[in-house]
Amino acid sequence: MRSATRVDFSAPLDARARFARLFGAWTLFFLASPGVLSDDGSALLAVVGAIAFGLTVIRPVGRSRRPGRAAFVAEWLAACYGFSAQMIWIWHVVPFGFLYPGLGQGLYAALSGWLARRIAARHGPAIGPAIGAAAGVLALELLRTLFVTPFGLGWQRLAHCGLDAWAGLLPWLGIEGVTLTVAALVGAAVADAGRGARRRVTIGIVGLALLGLAAGRWAPLPAANAAGDDELTLLLVQPGFSQERKRSDDAEANFRASFRQTLDALERVERPVDLVVWGESMLYVPLTTPAARAAVKAGVTAPDWVAALGPGGRARELFALFRQRERAWVERQLLPALPEGTAFASGAEAFDVVDGQIRSRNVIALWRADGERQPLAAKRLLVPFAETLYGFEAVDLVRHVVRGVAGYVPDFQPARETAVLELAPGGPRIGATVCFDNAFESLYVGAGGPAGVDLHLVVSNEAWYRNAFEMDQMIAFTRALALITGRPFARATNSGVTAWIDAEGQVRGRLEVDGQDRGVAGTLTATVPLPADRTVRTPYEHLRTPLRLALLALLAVLLWVPVRTTRDPAPVVR
């Protein structure tokens, strides 16, 4: 249906008006995010926000001394506000820390706006605005998907808002398929508003948008998302610790509190538990790898800023203490108290050899039912300036400033690949990831993901964020990843949200106490169906790389190959 009046996309828009309109667009996107107006967010508001973005960025720059620069800065600042608002919960970790991802992703938005205007001008006044607006949205989401840390955290994307609207599309075309659908909707809206596009162009854009919407709602799930007959029963333990208690209370007292909570829960469960899981760094026992122990005996040291070891070359003495505590707390007390056949996994901090030094990692440790500890699974993506300084921790001034602001020096080292844990030789295979990893599909699919797993386990500490909507965002990420990978997910957190999600992206179990799912203590028993065939992958896993290359090639073609029409635009109604 055509609009009553035509929008003149050739009319310049100055920096102030551009900022005001984009401020509104980013406000809509913020309101669409999970946990803001509703737990799942709103696909409708996200699409309307994307349309408002496209309608604004394709307008030529206004008159000023340096109009291009003024427009770029206006779009950058407006997007900085929008993305910072989505991550305002970072305030609880570092005051004003939410500005960093806003500035990074804001730069992506400004670059996308510039690209949209170039493409719109390249294709003429009839079809250029529609194509440019769609390309701007596509470019923004691709930049945030392809370039995550440290530039701006590709955290919250269009597909995560009102996920049920896109559920059928994700196993087939992933986040990129949703992005293409929304971009087509934006192009169709601009074509309608401008009333200058050729009919066949408009029909093509609208058809693509409707096809994507229909697939999102009604496309059948592929075979990879089908459950088999085998099941795995997990006991997910949420102690409800605040971040202050987690960091400051006596380590042994906190360990024993989770230990008692676990034993109490095991007495109440009605079926055998295969695996007990504690949240991120909840073991309170620093672990050491065999390589690290051998290196310390050979005289290898840790940098002075590694907090748990401290200066003075005490690594050898402290490693002996850590091993003694692991044997006393875990091997002699916790494991013998578990039912026969039950394995145990927990988040922990560990020391390993990295580039010839002793460095720390954020890991998941798993002890099989026979008491044997498996190789550690370490976190892959580290939170910028909260878990890593990207090597700048070696600079004295940087360490001094960061320690004064945060109270510690972020110095974790990332893993190079997503690890797989096995409860027994030849048994169920579990992809193991930690907290922040859960936002990025590249850690679960393609060359960066684990092969042939039955389910994914996420251990997380979200107590940093009090009861903020960050927890709802994490659930949205997990649901999307379950659909994309065709595998169920279990999430064990320190304070919420602890849940398990099936391979169809549905939350099948959620820990709640008196109606609250965060900031509470409790346990959740999850009986998770395993896939019928762990070797079968979703179509998206096969299509992901060629799809991304095709979308990048499409943007390049639109930018460099002009497609003009001689049709004159309709009269402008001011």
Side-chain angles (χ1 to χ4, degrees):
M1 182 176 181
R2 293 197 178 277
S3 55
T5 61
R6 174 181 173 267
V7 177
D8 182 11
F9 292 116
S10 65
L13 196 65
D14 63 27
R16 184 174 298 178
R18 189 177 299 271
F19 176 84
R21 296 187 185 192
L22 287 174
F23 189 93
W26 290 113
T27 297
L28 288 172
F29 191 41
F30 167 70
L31 295 176
S33 298
V36 178
L37 296 181
S38 65
D39 289 349
D40 296 329
S42 170
L44 177 61
L45 284 178
V47 170
V48 173
I51 291 172
F53 172 84
L55 286 168
T56 302
V57 297
I58 58 170
R59 295 282 292 273
V61 298
R63 296 180 179 178
S64 66
R65 185 177 178 183
R66 293 177 175 175
R69 181 178 298 181
F72 190 91
V73 171
E75 293 177 5
W76 190 351
L77 292 178
C80 176
Y81 145 75
F83 288 123
S84 295
Q86 291 177 38
M87 308 188 81
I88 191 68
W89 36 262
I90 293 179
W91 178 281
H92 297 300
V93 185
V94 178
F96 299 104
F98 58 88
L99 293 175
Y100 163 72
L103 287 168
Q105 294 185 102
L107 178 60
Y108 294 164
L111 289 171
S112 300
W114 170 84
L115 181 69
R117 287 189 293 279
R118 289 292 299 269
I119 289 176
R122 193 81 169 160
H123 295 276
I127 63 174
I131 295 176
V137 172
L138 181 59
L140 174 57
E141 290 292 279
L142 277 177
L143 283 171
R144 299 191 326 114
T145 300
L146 296 174
F147 303 103
V148 286
T149 60
F151 303 105
L153 314 188
W155 181 270
Q156 172 70 27
R157 281 163 285 173
L158 291 167
H160 298 128
C161 302
L163 188 68
D164 287 335
W166 318 113
L169 195 58
L170 288 170
W172 298 91
L173 296 178
I175 299 288
E176 293 83 358
V178 176
T179 299
L180 186 60
T181 299
V182 176
L185 288 169
V186 172
V190 172
D192 179 71
R195 300 184 64 190
R198 285 180 173 178
R199 179 169 296 178
R200 65 174 177 268
V201 173
T202 303
I203 291 174
I205 295 175
V206 171
L208 178 62
L210 293 177
L211 181 63
L213 288 174
R217 179 64 67 177
W218 293 297
L221 292 175
N225 297 76
D229 296 328
D230 292 336
E231 297 176 332
L232 194 68
T233 300
L234 293 81
L235 180 69
L236 309 176
V237 179
Q238 179 175 300
F241 288 178
S242 66
Q243 187 62 20
E244 291 76 13
R245 177 178 178 180
K246 180 178 183 295
R247 294 186 66 183
S248 304
D249 280 15
D250 179 73
E252 186 171 4
N254 284 347
F255 171 85
R256 293 194 179 283
S258 295
F259 185 15
R260 288 193 298 270
Q261 184 183 11
T262 301
L263 296 184
D264 290 344
L266 287 170
E267 291 180 356
R268 297 192 301 269
V269 295
E270 298 179 353
R271 58 182 301 161
V273 171
D274 298 299
L275 178 64
V276 171
V277 186
W278 290 5
E280 181 182 359
S281 60
M282 289 306 298
L283 191 61
Y284 287 100
V285 177
L287 303 176
T288 56
T289 65
R293 294 194 293 271
V296 165
K297 288 181 180 179
V300 176
T301 60
D304 288 347
W305 63 79
V306 177
L309 298 180
R314 298 181 58 213
R316 188 165 187 171
E317 173 188 347
L318 289 172
F319 270 32
L321 176 63
F322 296 157
R323 284 290 289 162
Q324 180 183 1
R325 185 178 297 177
E326 179 185 348
R327 292 190 180 102
W329 291 9
V330 180
E331 297 176 10
R332 296 172 187 165
Q333 296 181 49
L334 192 153
L335 297 179
L338 298 179
E340 184 178 356
T342 300
F344 171 70
S346 177
E349 294 185 18
F351 294 96
D352 199 359
V353 179
V354 181
D355 297 329
Q357 290 185 310
I358 303 298
R359 302 298 296 270
S360 55
R361 297 188 191 273
N362 191 348
V363 306
I364 303 176
L366 183 142
W367 286 263
R368 289 177 173 171
D370 60 7
E372 179 186 355
R373 194 183 85 188
Q374 299 303 289
L376 302 175
K379 190 175 186 181
R380 289 187 57 190
L381 283 181
L382 303 176
V383 181
F385 311 113
E387 292 180 320
T388 178
L389 293 178
Y390 298 103
F392 288 103
E393 66 272 10
V395 180
D396 291 341
L397 178 60
V398 172
R399 289 202 307 276
H400 177 75
V401 171
V402 172
R403 187 180 282 115
V405 173
Y408 67 101
V409 177
D411 65 344
F412 279 138
Q413 299 299 298
R416 291 184 172 87
E417 60 184 17
T418 302
V420 176
L421 303 174
E422 292 186 349
L423 298 186
R429 291 169 52 83
I430 303 173
T433 46
V434 182
C435 193
F436 189 63
D437 289 345
N438 194 213
F440 307 101
E441 66 270 16
S442 60
L443 277 63
Y444 297 88
V445 300
V453 299
D454 294 288
L455 74 155
H456 290 281
L457 173 66
V458 179
V459 301
S460 186
N461 173 27
E462 288 148 37
W464 282 107
Y465 312 112
R466 310 298 194 268
N467 296 330
F469 56 83
E470 185 262 357
M471 299 183 182
D472 300 292
Q473 292 177 338
M474 291 291 272
I475 289 292
F477 303 153
T478 309
R479 292 185 60 205
L481 287 167
L483 285 159
I484 284 171
T485 62
R487 298 294 183 268
F489 272 71
R491 305 186 76 252
T493 70
N494 302 347
S495 66
V497 173
T498 293
W500 79 271
I501 292 92
D502 67 15
E504 297 182 0
Q506 298 301 309
V507 179
R508 295 301 184 187
R510 191 178 188 126
L511 194 157
E512 293 186 349
V513 178
D514 297 328
Q516 298 296 316
D517 62 2
R518 57 203 71 182
V520 295
T523 58
L524 176 68
T525 303
T527 300
V528 183
L530 303 181
D533 185 349
R534 69 165 65 125
T535 64
V536 177
R537 298 186 295 168
T538 60
Y540 172 70
E541 293 200 57
H542 297 283
L543 296 173
R544 176 172 172 266
T545 298
L547 177 60
R548 289 183 172 185
L549 292 175
L551 293 177
L552 289 172
L554 173 62
L555 288 175
V557 168
L558 292 175
L559 182 61
W560 296 109
V561 181
V563 178
R564 292 182 177 272
T565 175
T566 57
R567 178 179 176 180
D568 293 328
V572 176
V573 179
R574 298 287 185 183

